[in-house]
Amino acid sequence: ATSPTHYRDPRAYFALFDGVEVAEPGGGFAHYELVSCRCVDTYVRLKQNQNQLCWKWRKVVTPQPRPAEFRHFLDGQQYSTAGILKYERIFGDGFVSTGGAATTVDLCLSRLKLRAGEQVLDVGCGIGGGDFLMASTAGVHVHGLDLSVNMVLLAMQRAAAAGDRRVAFEVADVMTADLEAGSFDVVYSRDTALHIPDKAALLARLFDVLKPGGRLLITDYCRAPGTPSPGFAAYIAQRGYDLRPVEEYGQLLSAAGFADVAAEDVTPAFEASLRAELARAEAGKAAFVAEFSEADYEEVVGGWAAKLERVGGGEQKWGLFCAAKP
């Protein structure tokens, strides 16, 4: 007999709910706004199955027809599925952040000193490379959170294929996600806070979800103090970034209540990673062009060259921030 079960691609549910818009009798337009889409933890931990998902939506009424959500901007621009795979080719398997596995181990995990059984929240988890690495090397449980549907669905697919019960993922905005106060030993975030303008509110949120004694580690694109050049300002605006000087980050962490704050300018490591990634792209040009296109290759190489120029000119920085909740 044929099974009546119908398994759908998760994108079908996003398309279904995103497509709903109804004129309200009293005026305005009603639609669904995503709260979260997450792995069901019981299935992850008992069955190593990240394919059982739970959605939470809320009804929202707006005066005008449905405005685009920020996740639509991310998935439609910088983080299309093809765009993610292009970045992964440069950063290394599983990674879409500076330096890939090398900086994750050498700069970040060396400072966090993770302990087996700890609960880690990864804010802006991307496609999960850092989460799989933390879980496999330190025996921690990681909840990866990202607003990009394309990122998280790729991470879920890879987690399900690997059968890793220590890693689960969620599509949600960290500022509004259902995260219990004092529930994580560690908060970890790689090159993601640049998407969030209200840094003070973000850091207050991260402080809240940490347990007393919990640790925080963030890396992020930063900028030199002062007014950016027109070219750098255009890049920041086109990406929708909010970049701060390294020193300002440290001050914001202290203002949020964190202790043992360390704000490091690690731009030399950023520059070294950019050069290594650019060299890898140039060496693998033929394979890259065969999988994507010549135009894609030129776009990636041009983007990396522009970053190196901004770094060399002293405008673009990379910050590493560590702190603890008293």
Side-chain angles (χ1 to χ4, degrees), residues 115-154:
R115 298 182 286 271
E118 287 191 311
Q119 303 295 318
V120 179
L121 174 66
D122 182 357
V123 179
C125 63
I127 55 177
D131 302 331
F132 299 130
L133 184 59
M134 287 188 279
S136 64
T137 60
V140 296
H141 294 275
V142 188
H143 186 80
L145 188 76
D146 204 295
L147 193 53
S148 166
V149 173
N150 293 333
M151 290 276 207
V152 172
L153 293 187
L154 278 171

Side-chain angles (χ1 to χ4, degrees), residues 32-155:
Y32 288 110
E33 182 179 89
L34 179 70
V35 176
S36 73
C37 166
R38 61 181 295 164
C39 300
V40 177
D41 288 341
T42 301
Y43 277 84
V44 173
R45 301 205 178 189
L46 298 183
K47 296 188 175 184
Q48 300 88 57
N49 182 356
Q50 278 85 356
N51 287 325
Q52 293 288 335
L53 306 181
C54 177
W55 276 262
K56 183 176 181 180
W57 303 83
R58 65 165 64 94
K59 177 183 175 181
V60 175
V61 178
T62 53
Q64 303 299 323
R66 178 183 193 134
E69 294 180 37
F70 187 50
R71 64 183 171 89
H72 297 136
F73 168 77
L74 293 175
D75 286 328
Q77 299 290 327
Q78 191 173 0
Y79 303 131
S80 66
T81 299
I84 293 167
L85 296 177
K86 285 186 288 186
Y87 283 135
E88 185 182 24
R89 265 302 190 93
I90 307 303
F91 291 123
D93 291 347
F95 290 89
V96 288
S97 56
T98 297
T103 54
T104 300
V105 173
D106 297 340
L107 281 179
C108 302
L109 302 190
S110 63
R111 287 166 169 78
L112 274 178
K113 303 189 186 313
L114 298 170
R115 298 182 286 271
E118 287 191 311
Q119 303 295 318
V120 179
L121 174 66
D122 182 357
V123 179
C125 63
I127 55 177
D131 302 331
F132 299 130
L133 184 59
M134 287 188 279
S136 64
T137 60
V140 296
H141 294 275
V142 188
H143 186 80
L145 188 76
D146 204 295
L147 193 53
S148 166
V149 173
N150 293 333
M151 290 276 207
V152 172
L153 293 187
L154 278 171

Side-chain angles (χ1 to χ4, degrees), residues 82-103 127 158 221 270-289 291-293 295-305 307-308:
I84 293 167
L85 296 177
K86 285 186 288 186
Y87 283 135
E88 185 182 24
R89 265 302 190 93
I90 307 303
F91 291 123
D93 291 347
F95 290 89
V96 288
S97 56
T98 297
T103 54
I127 55 177
R158 295 176 182 190
Y221 284 14
F270 183 47
E271 182 175 9
S273 294
L274 289 171
R275 293 192 184 282
E277 289 155 2
L278 185 57
R280 185 160 61 243
E282 291 170 342
K285 178 180 178 179
F288 190 102
V289 170
E291 184 174 351
F292 301 104
S293 72
D296 289 325
Y297 173 79
E298 295 299 335
E299 179 186 4
V300 167
V301 168
W304 258 246
K307 289 179 190 177
L308 281 168

Side-chain angles (χ1 to χ4, degrees), residues 201-281:
L202 170 64
L203 296 177
R205 174 67 162 156
L206 301 185
F207 186 90
D208 180 64
V209 301
L210 274 173
K211 298 177 182 178
R215 291 106 66 205
L216 171 80
L217 185 143
I218 295 174
T219 67
D220 205 17
Y221 284 14
C222 296
R223 62 174 176 82
T227 303
S229 68
F232 192 24
Y235 164 79
I236 293 169
Q238 187 271 329
R239 294 299 182 95
Y241 288 166
D242 178 82
L243 307 186
R244 306 292 181 94
V246 172
E247 299 80 1
E248 184 177 332
Y249 253 106
Q251 295 164 1
L252 288 166
L253 283 162
S254 296
F258 285 99
D260 303 324
V261 174
E264 299 182 47
D265 183 336
V266 290
T267 306
F270 183 47
E271 182 175 9
S273 294
L274 289 171
R275 293 192 184 282
E277 289 155 2
L278 185 57
R280 185 160 61 243

